[in-house]
Coordinates of all heavy atoms in Angstrom, one line a residue:
R391 N -6.8 -9.0 -16.5 CA -6.8 -8.6 -15.1 C -5.5 -9.4 -14.4 O -5.3 -10.5 -14.7 CB -8.1 -9.1 -14.5 CG -8.2 -8.8 -13.0 CD -9.5 -9.3 -12.5 NE -9.2 -10.3 -11.4 CZ -10.0 -11.0 -10.8 NH1 -11.3 -11.0 -11.1 NH2 -9.7 -11.8 -9.8
G392 N -4.8 -8.7 -13.7 CA -3.6 -9.2 -13.0 C -4.0 -9.9 -11.7 O -5.1 -10.0 -11.3
P393 N -2.9 -10.5 -11.1 CA -3.1 -11.2 -9.9 C -3.5 -10.3 -8.7 O -3.1 -9.1 -8.7 CB -1.8 -11.9 -9.7 CG -0.8 -11.1 -10.4 CD -1.6 -10.5 -11.5
A394 N -4.1 -10.9 -7.7 CA -4.4 -10.1 -6.5 C -3.1 -10.2 -5.6 O -2.4 -11.2 -5.7 CB -5.6 -10.8 -5.7
F395 N -2.9 -9.2 -4.7 CA -1.8 -9.2 -3.9 C -2.2 -9.1 -2.4 O -3.2 -8.5 -2.1 CB -0.8 -8.0 -4.2 CG -0.1 -8.2 -5.5 CD1 -0.8 -7.8 -6.7 CD2 1.2 -8.7 -5.5 CE1 -0.1 -7.9 -7.9 CE2 1.8 -8.8 -6.7 CZ 1.2 -8.4 -7.9
V396 N -1.4 -9.6 -1.5 CA -1.5 -9.4 -0.1 C -0.5 -8.3 0.2 O 0.7 -8.4 -0.2 CB -1.1 -10.7 0.7 CG1 -1.1 -10.5 2.1 CG2 -2.2 -11.8 0.3
E397 N -0.9 -7.4 1.0 CA -0.1 -6.2 1.3 C 1.3 -6.6 1.9 O 2.3 -6.0 1.5 CB -0.8 -5.3 2.2 CG -0.2 -3.9 2.4 CD -1.0 -3.0 3.2 OE1 -2.3 -2.9 3.1 OE2 -0.4 -2.3 4.1
E398 N 1.3 -7.5 2.9 CA 2.5 -7.8 3.6 C 2.4 -9.3 4.1 O 1.3 -9.6 4.6 CB 2.9 -6.9 4.8 CG 3.2 -5.6 4.5 CD 3.5 -4.8 5.8 OE1 3.3 -5.3 6.9 OE2 4.1 -3.7 5.6
V399 N 3.5 -10.0 4.0 CA 3.6 -11.3 4.7 C 4.9 -11.3 5.6 O 6.0 -10.9 5.1 CB 3.7 -12.4 3.7 CG1 4.0 -13.8 4.4 CG2 2.4 -12.6 2.9
S400 N 4.8 -11.6 6.9 CA 5.9 -11.6 7.8 C 6.4 -13.1 8.0 O 5.5 -13.9 8.1 CB 5.5 -11.0 9.1 OG 5.2 -9.6 8.9
V401 N 7.7 -13.3 8.1 CA 8.3 -14.5 8.4 C 9.1 -14.4 9.6 O 10.0 -13.6 9.6 CB 9.1 -15.1 7.2 CG1 9.7 -16.5 7.6 CG2 8.2 -15.3 6.0
V402 N 8.7 -15.1 10.7 CA 9.5 -15.1 12.0 C 10.4 -16.2 12.0 O 10.0 -17.4 11.8 CB 8.6 -15.1 13.2 CG1 9.3 -15.1 14.5 CG2 7.5 -13.9 13.1
N403 N 11.7 -15.9 12.1 CA 12.8 -16.9 12.1 C 13.6 -16.9 13.4 O 14.4 -16.0 13.6 CB 13.7 -16.7 10.9 CG 14.8 -17.7 10.8 OD1 14.9 -18.7 11.5 ND2 15.7 -17.5 9.8
R404 N 13.4 -17.8 14.2 CA 14.1 -17.8 15.5 C 15.4 -18.7 15.5 O 16.0 -18.9 16.5 CB 13.1 -18.3 16.6 CG 12.0 -17.3 16.9 CD 11.1 -17.8 18.0 NE 10.1 -16.9 18.3 CZ 8.9 -16.8 17.7 NH1 8.6 -17.7 16.7 NH2 8.0 -15.9 17.9
S405 N 15.7 -19.2 14.3 CA 16.8 -20.1 14.2 C 18.2 -19.4 14.0 O 18.2 -18.2 13.8 CB 16.5 -21.1 13.0 OG 16.9 -20.4 11.8
E406 N 19.1 -20.2 13.9 CA 20.5 -19.8 13.6 C 20.8 -19.7 12.2 O 22.0 -19.5 11.8 CB 21.6 -20.7 14.4 CG 21.6 -22.1 13.9 CD 20.6 -23.0 14.5 OE1 19.6 -22.6 15.1 OE2 20.9 -24.3 14.6
Y407 N 19.8 -20.0 11.3 CA 20.0 -20.0 9.9 C 19.4 -18.8 9.2 O 18.3 -18.4 9.6 CB 19.3 -21.3 9.3 CG 19.8 -22.5 9.9 CD1 19.1 -23.3 10.7 CD2 21.1 -23.0 9.6 CE1 19.5 -24.5 11.3 CE2 21.6 -24.2 10.2 CZ 20.8 -25.0 11.0 OH 21.2 -26.1 11.5
D408 N 20.0 -18.4 8.1 CA 19.3 -17.5 7.2 C 18.5 -18.5 6.2 O 19.1 -19.4 5.7 CB 20.2 -16.7 6.3 CG 21.0 -15.7 7.1 OD1 20.5 -15.2 8.2 OD2 22.1 -15.3 6.7
I409 N 17.2 -18.3 6.2 CA 16.4 -19.3 5.5 C 15.7 -18.7 4.3 O 14.9 -17.7 4.4 CB 15.3 -19.9 6.5 CG1 16.1 -20.7 7.6 CG2 14.4 -20.9 5.8 CD1 15.2 -21.3 8.7
G410 N 15.9 -19.4 3.2 CA 15.1 -19.0 2.0 C 13.7 -19.5 2.1 O 13.4 -20.7 2.5
V411 N 12.8 -18.6 1.7 CA 11.4 -18.9 1.9 C 10.7 -18.8 0.5 O 10.8 -17.6 -0.1 CB 10.6 -18.1 2.9 CG1 9.2 -18.5 3.0 CG2 11.3 -18.1 4.3
Q412 N 10.0 -19.8 0.0 CA 9.3 -19.7 -1.2 C 7.8 -20.0 -0.9 O 7.5 -20.5 0.1 CB 9.8 -20.6 -2.3 CG 11.2 -20.3 -2.7 CD 11.7 -21.4 -3.7 OE1 11.4 -22.5 -3.6 NE2 12.3 -20.9 -4.8
V413 N 6.9 -19.6 -1.8 CA 5.5 -19.9 -1.6 C 4.8 -20.4 -3.0 O 5.3 -20.0 -4.0 CB 4.7 -18.7 -1.0 CG1 4.6 -17.6 -2.1 CG2 3.4 -19.1 -0.5
S414 N 3.8 -21.2 -2.8 CA 3.0 -21.6 -4.0 C 1.7 -21.9 -3.5 O 1.4 -21.9 -2.3 CB 3.6 -23.0 -4.5 OG 2.9 -23.3 -5.7
G415 N 0.7 -22.0 -4.4 CA -0.6 -22.3 -4.0 C -0.7 -23.9 -3.8 O 0.2 -24.6 -3.9
G416 N -1.9 -24.3 -3.3 CA -2.1 -25.8 -3.0 C -1.7 -26.7 -4.1 O -1.4 -27.8 -3.8
K417 N -1.8 -26.3 -5.3 CA -1.5 -27.2 -6.4 C 0.0 -27.4 -6.7 O 0.4 -28.2 -7.5 CB -2.1 -26.8 -7.7 CG -3.7 -27.0 -7.7 CD -4.2 -26.5 -9.0 CE -5.8 -26.5 -8.9 NZ -6.4 -26.1 -10.1
R418 N 0.8 -26.5 -6.0 CA 2.3 -26.4 -6.2 C 2.7 -26.3 -7.6 O 3.6 -26.9 -8.1 CB 2.9 -27.7 -5.6 CG 2.8 -27.8 -4.1 CD 3.4 -29.1 -3.6 NE 3.5 -29.1 -2.1 CZ 2.5 -29.5 -1.3 NH1 1.3 -29.7 -1.8 NH2 2.7 -29.5 0.0
D419 N 2.0 -25.5 -8.4 CA 2.2 -25.4 -9.8 C 3.1 -24.2 -10.2 O 3.2 -23.8 -11.3 CB 0.9 -25.3 -10.6 CG 0.0 -24.2 -10.1 OD1 0.4 -23.5 -9.2 OD2 -1.1 -24.0 -10.7
G420 N 3.7 -23.6 -9.2 CA 4.7 -22.5 -9.4 C 5.1 -21.9 -8.1 O 4.3 -21.5 -7.3
W421 N 6.4 -21.8 -7.9 CA 7.0 -21.3 -6.7 C 7.5 -19.9 -7.0 O 8.1 -19.6 -8.0 CB 8.1 -22.2 -6.2 CG 7.6 -23.5 -5.8 CD1 7.5 -24.7 -6.6 CD2 7.1 -23.9 -4.5 NE1 7.0 -25.6 -5.8 CE2 6.7 -25.3 -4.6 CE3 6.9 -23.2 -3.3 CZ2 6.2 -25.9 -3.5 CZ3 6.4 -23.9 -2.2 CH2 6.0 -25.2 -2.3
M422 N 7.3 -19.0 -5.9 CA 7.9 -17.7 -6.0 C 8.6 -17.4 -4.7 O 8.2 -17.9 -3.6 CB 6.9 -16.6 -6.3 CG 5.8 -16.4 -5.2 SD 4.8 -15.0 -5.5 CE 5.7 -13.8 -4.7
S423 N 9.7 -16.7 -4.8 CA 10.5 -16.3 -3.6 C 9.7 -15.3 -2.8 O 9.1 -14.4 -3.3 CB 11.8 -15.8 -4.0 OG 12.6 -15.4 -2.9
V424 N 9.6 -15.5 -1.5 CA 9.1 -14.6 -0.6 C 10.2 -13.7 0.1 O 10.1 -12.4 0.0 CB 8.2 -15.3 0.5 CG1 7.7 -14.3 1.6 CG2 7.1 -16.1 -0.1
T425 N 11.2 -14.4 0.6 CA 12.3 -13.6 1.3 C 13.4 -14.6 1.7 O 13.2 -15.8 1.6 CB 11.8 -13.0 2.6 OG1 12.7 -12.2 3.1 CG2 11.4 -14.0 3.7
T426 N 14.5 -14.1 2.0 CA 15.5 -14.8 2.8 C 15.3 -14.3 4.2 O 15.7 -13.2 4.5 CB 16.9 -14.6 2.3 OG1 17.0 -15.1 0.9 CG2 17.9 -15.3 3.1
A427 N 14.8 -15.2 5.0 CA 14.5 -14.8 6.4 C 15.8 -14.8 7.2 O 16.4 -15.9 7.5 CB 13.5 -15.7 7.0
A428 N 16.3 -13.7 7.6 CA 17.6 -13.6 8.3 C 17.4 -14.3 9.7 O 16.3 -14.3 10.3 CB 18.0 -12.2 8.5
K429 N 18.5 -14.9 10.1 CA 18.5 -15.6 11.4 C 18.1 -14.7 12.5 O 18.4 -13.4 12.5 CB 19.9 -16.2 11.7 CG 21.0 -15.2 11.8 CD 22.3 -15.9 12.1 CE 23.5 -14.9 12.2 NZ 24.7 -15.6 12.4
R430 N 17.3 -15.2 13.5 CA 16.9 -14.6 14.7 C 16.3 -13.2 14.4 O 16.6 -12.1 15.0 CB 18.0 -14.4 15.7 CG 18.5 -15.7 16.1 CD 19.7 -15.6 17.1 NE 20.3 -16.9 17.4 CZ 21.3 -17.4 16.8 NH1 21.9 -16.8 15.9 NH2 21.7 -18.6 17.1
S431 N 15.3 -13.1 13.4 CA 14.7 -11.9 13.1 C 13.3 -12.1 12.5 O 12.9 -13.3 12.2 CB 15.5 -11.1 12.0 OG 15.6 -11.8 10.8
T432 N 12.5 -11.0 12.3 CA 11.3 -11.1 11.6 C 11.5 -10.3 10.2 O 12.0 -9.2 10.3 CB 10.2 -10.5 12.4 OG1 10.0 -11.2 13.6 CG2 8.8 -10.4 11.6
N433 N 11.1 -10.9 9.2 CA 11.3 -10.3 7.9 C 9.9 -10.1 7.2 O 9.0 -10.9 7.3 CB 12.0 -11.3 7.0 CG 13.4 -11.6 7.5 OD1 14.4 -10.9 7.1 ND2 13.6 -12.5 8.5
V434 N 9.7 -8.9 6.7 CA 8.4 -8.5 6.1 C 8.6 -8.3 4.7 O 9.5 -7.6 4.2 CB 7.9 -7.2 6.8 CG1 6.5 -6.8 6.2 CG2 7.7 -7.4 8.3
T435 N 7.8 -8.9 3.8 CA 7.8 -8.8 2.4 C 6.5 -8.2 1.9 O 5.4 -8.6 2.3 CB 8.0 -10.1 1.7 OG1 9.2 -10.8 2.2 CG2 8.1 -10.0 0.2
A436 N 6.6 -7.1 1.2 CA 5.4 -6.4 0.7 C 5.0 -7.0 -0.7 O 5.8 -7.5 -1.4 CB 5.7 -4.9 0.5
D437 N 3.6 -6.8 -0.9 CA 3.0 -7.2 -2.2 C 3.4 -8.6 -2.7 O 3.9 -8.8 -3.7 CB 3.5 -6.1 -3.3 CG 3.1 -4.7 -2.9 OD1 2.0 -4.6 -2.4 OD2 3.8 -3.8 -3.3
V438 N 2.9 -9.5 -1.9 CA 3.0 -10.9 -2.2 C 1.8 -11.4 -3.0 O 0.6 -11.1 -2.6 CB 3.2 -11.8 -0.9 CG1 3.3 -13.3 -1.2 CG2 4.4 -11.3 -0.1
I439 N 2.0 -12.1 -4.1 CA 0.9 -12.6 -4.9 C 0.0 -13.5 -4.0 O 0.5 -14.5 -3.4 CB 1.4 -13.3 -6.1 CG1 2.0 -12.2 -7.1 CG2 0.2 -13.9 -6.9 CD1 2.7 -12.9 -8.3
D440 N -1.3 -13.3 -4.0 CA -2.2 -14.1 -3.3 C -2.3 -15.4 -3.8 O -2.6 -15.6 -5.0 CB -3.6 -13.4 -3.3 CG -4.6 -14.0 -2.3 OD1 -4.4 -15.2 -2.0 OD2 -5.6 -13.4 -2.0
Q441 N -2.0 -16.5 -3.1 CA -1.9 -17.9 -3.5 C -3.3 -18.6 -3.5 O -3.4 -19.7 -3.9 CB -0.9 -18.7 -2.7 CG 0.5 -18.1 -2.8 CD 1.0 -18.0 -4.2 OE1 1.0 -19.0 -4.9 NE2 1.6 -16.9 -4.6
G442 N -4.3 -17.9 -3.0 CA -5.6 -18.4 -3.0 C -6.0 -19.1 -1.7 O -5.4 -18.7 -0.6
R443 N -6.8 -20.1 -1.7 CA -7.3 -20.7 -0.5 C -6.3 -21.5 0.4 O -6.3 -21.5 1.6 CB -8.4 -21.7 -0.8 CG -9.2 -22.2 0.4 CD -10.4 -23.0 -0.1 NE -10.0 -24.3 -0.7 CZ -9.6 -25.4 0.0 NH1 -9.6 -25.4 1.3 NH2 -9.4 -26.4 -0.7
I444 N -5.2 -22.1 -0.3 CA -4.2 -22.8 0.3 C -2.8 -22.2 -0.1 O -2.6 -22.0 -1.2 CB -4.2 -24.3 -0.1 CG1 -5.5 -25.0 0.3 CG2 -3.0 -25.0 0.6 CD1 -5.8 -25.1 1.8
W445 N -2.0 -22.0 0.9 CA -0.6 -21.4 0.7 C 0.3 -22.6 1.2 O 0.1 -23.1 2.3 CB -0.4 -20.2 1.5 CG -1.2 -19.0 1.0 CD1 -2.5 -18.8 0.8 CD2 -0.6 -17.7 0.8 NE1 -2.8 -17.6 0.3 CE2 -1.7 -16.9 0.4 CE3 0.6 -17.1 0.9 CZ2 -1.5 -15.5 0.1 CZ3 0.8 -15.8 0.6 CH2 -0.2 -15.0 0.2
V446 N 1.4 -22.8 0.4 CA 2.4 -23.8 0.8 C 3.7 -23.0 0.8 O 4.2 -22.5 -0.2 CB 2.4 -25.0 -0.2 CG1 3.5 -26.0 0.3 CG2 1.1 -25.7 -0.2
F447 N 4.3 -23.0 2.0 CA 5.6 -22.3 2.1 C 6.7 -23.4 2.1 O 6.5 -24.4 2.7 CB 5.7 -21.5 3.4 CG 4.8 -20.3 3.4 CD1 3.5 -20.4 3.9 CD2 5.2 -19.1 3.0 CE1 2.6 -19.3 3.9 CE2 4.4 -18.0 3.0 CZ 3.1 -18.0 3.4
R448 N 7.8 -23.1 1.5 CA 9.0 -24.1 1.4 C 10.2 -23.3 1.9 O 10.4 -22.2 1.7 CB 9.1 -24.5 -0.1 CG 10.2 -25.5 -0.3 CD 10.0 -26.1 -1.7 NE 10.3 -25.1 -2.8 CZ 10.3 -25.5 -4.1 NH1 9.9 -26.7 -4.4 NH2 10.5 -24.6 -5.0
F449 N 11.0 -24.1 2.7 CA 12.1 -23.5 3.4 C 13.4 -24.2 3.1 O 13.4 -25.5 3.0 CB 11.9 -23.6 4.9 CG 10.6 -23.1 5.4 CD1 9.4 -23.8 5.6 CD2 10.5 -21.7 5.7 CE1 8.2 -23.3 6.0 CE2 9.3 -21.1 6.1 CZ 8.1 -22.0 6.2
A450 N 14.5 -23.5 2.9 CA 15.8 -24.1 2.7 C 16.9 -23.2 3.2 O 16.7 -22.0 3.4 CB 16.0 -24.2 1.1
A451 N 18.0 -23.9 3.6 CA 19.1 -23.1 4.3 C 20.4 -24.0 3.9 O 20.3 -25.2 4.0 CB 19.0 -22.9 5.7
Q452 N 21.5 -23.3 3.8 CA 22.8 -23.9 3.6 C 22.7 -25.0 2.6 O 23.4 -26.0 2.7 CB 23.3 -24.5 4.9 CG 23.3 -23.5 6.1 CD 24.3 -22.3 5.9 OE1 24.0 -21.5 5.0 NE2 25.2 -22.2 6.7
G453 N 22.0 -24.8 1.5 CA 21.9 -25.8 0.4 C 21.1 -27.0 0.7 O 21.1 -27.9 -0.1
Q454 N 20.4 -27.0 1.8 CA 19.5 -28.1 2.2 C 18.1 -27.7 2.2 O 17.7 -26.6 2.7 CB 19.9 -28.5 3.6 CG 21.4 -28.9 3.8 CD 21.7 -30.2 3.1 OE1 20.9 -31.1 2.8 NE2 22.9 -30.4 2.7
Q455 N 17.2 -28.7 1.8 CA 15.7 -28.4 1.9 C 15.3 -28.7 3.3 O 15.6 -29.8 3.9 CB 15.0 -29.2 0.9 CG 15.2 -28.9 -0.5 CD 14.7 -27.5 -0.9 OE1 13.6 -27.1 -0.5 NE2 15.5 -26.7 -1.6
G456 N 14.6 -27.7 3.9 CA 14.2 -27.9 5.3 C 12.8 -28.5 5.4 O 12.4 -29.0 6.5
G457 N 11.9 -28.3 4.5 CA 10.5 -28.7 4.5 C 9.6 -27.8 4.1 O 9.9 -26.7 3.6
E458 N 8.3 -28.0 4.4 CA 7.2 -27.2 3.9 C 6.2 -26.9 5.0 O 6.2 -27.7 6.1 CB 6.4 -27.8 2.8 CG 7.3 -28.0 1.5 CD 6.5 -28.6 0.4 OE1 5.3 -29.1 0.5 OE2 7.0 -28.6 -0.8
L459 N 5.4 -25.9 4.9 CA 4.3 -25.5 5.8 C 3.1 -25.2 4.9 O 3.2 -24.3 4.0 CB 4.7 -24.3 6.7 CG 3.5 -23.7 7.5 CD1 3.1 -24.7 8.6 CD2 4.0 -22.4 8.1
R460 N 2.0 -26.0 5.2 CA 0.8 -25.8 4.4 C -0.2 -25.0 5.3 O -0.4 -25.5 6.5 CB 0.2 -27.1 4.0 CG -1.0 -27.1 3.2 CD -1.5 -28.5 2.9 NE -2.8 -28.5 2.4 CZ -3.1 -28.7 1.0 NH1 -2.2 -28.7 0.1 NH2 -4.4 -28.6 0.6
V461 N -0.7 -23.9 4.9 CA -1.7 -23.1 5.7 C -2.8 -22.6 4.8 O -2.6 -22.3 3.7 CB -0.8 -22.1 6.4 CG1 -0.3 -21.1 5.4 CG2 -1.6 -21.3 7.5
T462 N -4.0 -22.4 5.4 CA -5.1 -21.8 4.7 C -4.9 -20.3 4.7 O -4.4 -19.8 5.6 CB -6.4 -22.3 5.3 OG1 -6.5 -21.7 6.6 CG2 -6.6 -23.8 5.3
R463 N -5.5 -19.7 3.7 CA -5.6 -18.3 3.6 C -6.3 -17.7 4.9 O -5.8 -16.7 5.4 CB -6.3 -17.9 2.4 CG -6.3 -16.3 2.1 CD -7.1 -16.0 0.8 NE -6.6 -14.7 0.3 CZ -7.0 -13.6 0.8 NH1 -7.8 -13.5 1.9 NH2 -6.7 -12.5 0.3
A464 N -7.3 -18.4 5.3 CA -8.1 -17.9 6.5 C -7.2 -17.9 7.7 O -7.2 -17.0 8.5 CB -9.3 -18.8 6.7
D465 N -6.4 -19.0 7.9 CA -5.5 -19.0 9.0 C -4.4 -17.9 8.9 O -4.0 -17.4 10.0 CB -4.9 -20.4 9.2 CG -5.9 -21.4 9.7 OD1 -6.9 -21.0 10.3 OD2 -5.6 -22.6 9.6
L466 N -3.9 -17.7 7.8 CA -2.9 -16.7 7.6 C -3.5 -15.3 7.9 O -2.8 -14.5 8.6 CB -2.5 -16.6 6.1 CG -1.2 -17.4 5.7 CD1 -1.0 -17.3 4.2 CD2 0.0 -16.9 6.5
Q467 N -4.7 -15.0 7.5 CA -5.4 -13.8 7.8 C -5.5 -13.7 9.4 O -5.2 -12.5 9.9 CB -6.7 -13.7 7.2 CG -6.8 -13.0 5.9 CD -8.2 -12.9 5.3 OE1 -8.9 -13.9 5.2 NE2 -8.5 -11.7 4.9
K468 N -5.9 -14.7 10.0 CA -6.1 -14.7 11.4 C -4.8 -14.4 12.2 O -4.8 -13.8 13.2 CB -6.6 -16.0 12.0 CG -8.2 -16.2 11.7 CD -8.6 -17.6 12.2 CE -9.9 -18.0 11.6 NZ -10.2 -19.4 11.9
A469 N -3.7 -14.9 11.6 CA -2.4 -14.7 12.2 C -1.7 -13.4 11.7 O -0.6 -13.1 12.1 CB -1.5 -15.8 11.7
G470 N -2.6 -12.5 11.2 CA -2.0 -11.2 10.7 C -1.0 -11.3 9.6 O -0.1 -10.5 9.5
W471 N -1.2 -12.3 8.8 CA -0.4 -12.5 7.6 C 1.1 -12.8 8.1 O 2.0 -12.3 7.5 CB -0.4 -11.4 6.5 CG -1.8 -11.4 6.0 CD1 -2.8 -10.5 6.3 CD2 -2.3 -12.3 5.0 NE1 -3.9 -10.8 5.6 CE2 -3.6 -11.9 4.7 CE3 -1.8 -13.4 4.2 CZ2 -4.5 -12.5 3.8 CZ3 -2.7 -14.0 3.3 CH2 -4.0 -13.5 3.1
S472 N 1.3 -13.5 9.2 CA 2.6 -13.8 9.7 C 2.7 -15.3 9.9 O 1.8 -16.0 10.4 CB 2.8 -13.1 11.0 OG 4.1 -13.3 11.5
I473 N 3.9 -15.9 9.5 CA 4.2 -17.3 9.8 C 5.5 -17.4 10.6 O 6.4 -16.5 10.5 CB 4.3 -18.2 8.6 CG1 5.4 -17.7 7.7 CG2 2.9 -18.2 7.9 CD1 5.8 -18.7 6.6
D474 N 5.6 -18.4 11.3 CA 6.9 -18.8 12.0 C 7.5 -19.9 11.2 O 6.9 -20.8 10.8 CB 6.7 -19.2 13.4 CG 6.2 -18.2 14.4 OD1 6.1 -17.0 14.0 OD2 5.9 -18.5 15.6
V475 N 8.9 -19.8 11.1 CA 9.5 -21.0 10.5 C 9.3 -22.2 11.5 O 9.6 -22.0 12.7 CB 11.0 -20.7 10.3 CG1 11.8 -22.0 9.9 CG2 11.2 -19.6 9.4
P476 N 8.7 -23.2 11.0 CA 8.4 -24.3 11.9 C 9.6 -24.9 12.7 O 10.7 -25.1 12.0 CB 7.7 -25.4 11.0 CG 7.2 -24.6 9.8 CD 8.3 -23.5 9.7
D477 N 9.4 -25.4 13.9 CA 10.5 -26.0 14.6 C 11.0 -27.2 13.9 O 12.2 -27.5 13.9 CB 10.1 -26.4 16.0 CG 9.8 -25.1 16.9 OD1 10.4 -24.0 16.6 OD2 9.2 -25.2 17.9
E478 N 10.1 -28.0 13.3 CA 10.4 -29.1 12.6 C 11.4 -28.8 11.4 O 12.3 -29.7 11.1 CB 9.2 -29.9 12.0 CG 8.2 -30.4 13.1 CD 7.3 -29.2 13.6 OE1 7.2 -28.2 13.0 OE2 6.6 -29.5 14.6
V479 N 11.2 -27.7 10.7 CA 12.1 -27.3 9.6 C 13.5 -27.0 10.2 O 14.5 -27.6 9.7 CB 11.6 -26.1 8.9 CG1 12.7 -25.5 8.1 CG2 10.3 -26.5 8.1
I480 N 13.6 -26.4 11.3 CA 14.9 -26.0 11.9 C 15.6 -27.3 12.4 O 16.8 -27.5 12.1 CB 14.7 -25.1 13.1 CG1 14.1 -23.7 12.6 CG2 16.0 -24.8 13.8 CD1 13.5 -22.9 13.6
E481 N 14.8 -28.2 13.0 CA 15.4 -29.5 13.5 C 15.9 -30.3 12.3 O 16.9 -30.9 12.4 CB 14.4 -30.2 14.4 CG 15.0 -31.5 15.0 CD 16.3 -31.2 15.8 OE1 16.4 -30.2 16.5 OE2 17.2 -32.1 15.8
H482 N 15.1 -30.3 11.3 CA 15.6 -31.1 10.1 C 16.8 -30.6 9.5 O 17.7 -31.4 9.1 CB 14.4 -31.1 9.0 CG 14.7 -31.9 7.8 ND1 14.7 -33.3 7.8 CD2 14.9 -31.5 6.5 CE1 15.0 -33.7 6.7 NE2 15.1 -32.7 5.8
L483 N 17.0 -29.3 9.4 CA 18.2 -28.7 8.9 C 19.4 -29.1 9.8 O 20.5 -29.4 9.3 CB 18.1 -27.1 8.8 CG 17.1 -26.6 7.8 CD1 16.9 -25.2 7.9 CD2 17.7 -26.9 6.3
R484 N 19.2 -29.1 11.1 CA 20.2 -29.5 12.0 C 20.6 -30.9 11.8 O 21.8 -31.3 11.8 CB 19.8 -29.3 13.5 CG 19.7 -27.8 13.8 CD 19.2 -27.7 15.3 NE 19.1 -26.3 15.6 CZ 18.1 -25.8 16.4 NH1 17.2 -26.6 17.0 NH2 18.0 -24.5 16.7
Q485 N 19.6 -31.7 11.7 CA 19.9 -33.2 11.4 C 20.6 -33.5 10.1 O 21.4 -34.4 10.0 CB 18.6 -34.0 11.5 CG 18.0 -34.1 12.8 CD 16.6 -34.8 12.8 OE1 16.1 -35.2 11.8 NE2 16.0 -34.9 14.0
L486 N 20.4 -32.6 9.2 CA 21.1 -32.7 7.9 C 22.6 -32.2 8.0 O 23.4 -32.4 7.0 CB 20.4 -31.9 6.8 CG 19.0 -32.5 6.3 CD1 18.3 -31.6 5.4 CD2 19.2 -34.0 5.7
G487 N 22.9 -31.6 9.1 CA 24.2 -31.1 9.3 C 24.5 -29.7 8.8 O 25.7 -29.3 8.7
A488 N 23.5 -29.0 8.6 CA 23.6 -27.6 8.1 C 24.3 -26.8 9.2 O 23.8 -26.8 10.3 CB 22.3 -27.0 7.7
G489 N 25.3 -26.1 8.9 CA 26.0 -25.3 10.0 C 25.3 -23.9 10.1 O 24.5 -23.5 9.2
P490 N 25.4 -23.2 11.2 CA 24.8 -21.9 11.3 C 25.2 -20.9 10.3 O 26.3 -21.1 9.7 CB 25.2 -21.5 12.7 CG 25.9 -22.6 13.3 CD 26.2 -23.6 12.3
S491 N 24.3 -20.0 9.9 CA 24.7 -19.0 9.0 C 25.7 -18.0 9.6 O 25.6 -17.8 10.8 CB 23.5 -18.2 8.5 OG 22.5 -19.0 7.8
P492 N 26.6 -17.5 8.8 CA 27.6 -16.6 9.4 C 27.0 -15.3 9.9 O 26.0 -14.9 9.5 CB 28.6 -16.3 8.2 CG 28.1 -17.0 7.0 CD 26.8 -17.8 7.4

């Protein structure tokens, strides 16, 4: 039997960065790419492997790690399978000196 899939996951990116987004389960035992969330846009990825009860999203831009977001599957479902790139991630990238994406 293969893995279960979520039909779509949306990533809302209000920042000036194109941000790479990866996801793993709560054990962080394997990361998979979700999308490169283009600056100031919403990106939708189809057929994302269901990570189980806990989902951990990891964000990076301009060669810098921006941080993580831990969310329950139930909260993701309530949010319509959509996440926003956290303000803390965007601010961290700015503090690291990452310039805006072209």
Side-chain angles (χ1 to χ4, degrees):
R391 186 179 119 186
F395 289 85
V396 172
E397 189 174 319
E398 291 182 347
V399 173
S400 299
V401 178
V402 180
N403 178 9
R404 293 181 178 87
S405 79
E406 66 272 24
Y407 303 108
D408 293 337
I409 297 180
V411 182
Q412 296 180 315
V413 70
S414 184
K417 294 180 182 179
R418 293 177 171 83
D419 57 357
W421 293 91
M422 65 173 268
S423 179
V424 175
T425 190
T426 297
K429 62 184 179 181
R430 298 180 186 93
S431 66
T432 298
N433 298 263
V434 179
T435 302
D437 299 325
V438 177
I439 294 175
D440 190 337
Q441 300 299 310
R443 192 175 66 79
I444 301 293
W445 290 50
V446 182
F447 292 91
R448 181 164 69 180
F449 307 93
Q452 307 297 63
Q454 303 291 334
Q455 291 299 316
E458 295 182 352
L459 171 67
R460 182 182 169 101
V461 63
T462 66
R463 186 180 199 285
D465 286 342
L466 267 175
Q467 265 184 309
K468 286 179 198 171
W471 295 101
S472 180
I473 63 162
D474 290 354
V475 174
D477 291 340
E478 295 82 11
V479 166
I480 298 164
E481 186 56 35
H482 183 68
L483 291 167
R484 289 178 184 146
Q485 289 174 359
L486 291 172
S491 298

